[in-house]
Short mmCIF file of all heavy atoms in Angstrom, two decimals:
data_model
loop_
_atom_site.label_atom_id
_atom_site.label_comp_id
_atom_site.label_asym_id
_atom_site.label_seq_id
_atom_site.Cartn_x
_atom_site.Cartn_y
_atom_site.Cartn_z
N VAL J 131 44.50 17.86 -2.65
CA VAL J 131 44.46 18.92 -3.61
C VAL J 131 45.21 18.37 -4.85
O VAL J 131 46.39 18.18 -4.85
CB VAL J 131 45.07 20.18 -3.03
CG1 VAL J 131 45.20 21.36 -4.20
CG2 VAL J 131 44.36 20.74 -1.74
N VAL J 132 44.47 18.37 -5.93
CA VAL J 132 45.01 17.79 -7.18
C VAL J 132 45.35 18.76 -8.19
O VAL J 132 46.06 18.48 -9.21
CB VAL J 132 44.16 16.61 -7.70
CG1 VAL J 132 44.15 15.48 -6.77
CG2 VAL J 132 42.84 17.00 -8.13
N GLY J 133 44.77 19.92 -8.08
CA GLY J 133 45.07 20.89 -9.24
C GLY J 133 44.57 22.24 -8.92
O GLY J 133 43.99 22.49 -7.90
N TYR J 134 44.82 23.14 -9.73
CA TYR J 134 44.42 24.54 -9.75
C TYR J 134 43.82 24.99 -10.96
O TYR J 134 44.24 24.49 -11.97
CB TYR J 134 45.60 25.43 -9.33
CG TYR J 134 46.15 25.42 -7.96
CD1 TYR J 134 47.40 25.16 -7.83
CD2 TYR J 134 45.30 25.58 -6.86
CE1 TYR J 134 48.07 24.99 -6.38
CE2 TYR J 134 45.88 25.39 -5.57
CZ TYR J 134 47.17 25.11 -5.41
OH TYR J 134 47.59 25.04 -4.12
N GLU J 135 42.78 25.80 -10.72
CA GLU J 135 42.14 26.46 -11.95
C GLU J 135 42.91 27.78 -12.01
O GLU J 135 42.81 28.57 -11.09
CB GLU J 135 40.64 26.62 -11.81
CG GLU J 135 40.09 27.28 -13.07
CD GLU J 135 38.54 26.98 -13.19
OE1 GLU J 135 37.86 27.00 -12.06
OE2 GLU J 135 38.01 26.66 -14.25
N ILE J 136 43.43 28.08 -13.15
CA ILE J 136 44.25 29.34 -13.22
C ILE J 136 43.71 30.13 -14.40
O ILE J 136 43.27 29.63 -15.44
CB ILE J 136 45.73 29.09 -13.42
CG1 ILE J 136 46.13 28.23 -14.62
CG2 ILE J 136 46.29 28.40 -12.19
CD1 ILE J 136 47.56 28.13 -14.87
N GLU J 137 43.85 31.46 -14.26
CA GLU J 137 43.65 32.26 -15.35
C GLU J 137 44.87 32.35 -16.24
O GLU J 137 45.93 32.77 -15.79
CB GLU J 137 43.25 33.70 -14.70
CG GLU J 137 42.59 34.71 -15.78
CD GLU J 137 42.47 36.02 -15.10
OE1 GLU J 137 41.84 36.15 -13.86
OE2 GLU J 137 43.03 36.97 -15.64
N ALA J 138 44.75 31.79 -17.33
CA ALA J 138 46.01 31.43 -18.15
C ALA J 138 46.77 32.58 -18.57
O ALA J 138 46.18 33.65 -18.90
CB ALA J 138 45.64 30.56 -19.37
N SER J 139 48.09 32.53 -18.53
CA SER J 139 48.95 33.65 -19.10
C SER J 139 49.29 33.17 -20.59
O SER J 139 48.71 32.23 -21.02
CB SER J 139 50.26 33.66 -18.42
OG SER J 139 51.07 32.38 -18.66
N GLU J 140 49.98 34.11 -21.21
CA GLU J 140 50.28 33.92 -22.67
C GLU J 140 51.08 32.55 -22.92
O GLU J 140 51.05 31.97 -23.87
CB GLU J 140 51.06 35.04 -23.20
CG GLU J 140 50.05 36.21 -23.57
CD GLU J 140 50.81 37.49 -23.71
OE1 GLU J 140 52.09 37.45 -24.08
OE2 GLU J 140 50.17 38.48 -23.54
N ALA J 141 51.83 32.09 -21.86
CA ALA J 141 52.66 30.97 -21.87
C ALA J 141 51.93 29.74 -22.27
O ALA J 141 52.38 28.80 -22.91
CB ALA J 141 53.46 30.68 -20.72
N LEU J 142 50.68 29.84 -21.89
CA LEU J 142 49.72 28.59 -22.09
C LEU J 142 49.02 28.67 -23.52
O LEU J 142 48.39 27.81 -23.93
CB LEU J 142 48.76 28.33 -21.03
CG LEU J 142 49.34 27.87 -19.71
CD1 LEU J 142 48.22 27.84 -18.60
CD2 LEU J 142 49.83 26.41 -19.98
N GLY J 143 49.21 29.73 -24.19
CA GLY J 143 48.68 29.87 -25.47
C GLY J 143 47.08 30.17 -25.51
O GLY J 143 46.51 30.14 -26.43
#
Side-chain angles (χ1 to χ4, degrees):
Chain J
V131 173
V132 295
Y134 288 122
E135 186 159 38
I136 60 175
E137 197 183 304
S139 69
E140 279 162 26
L142 285 175

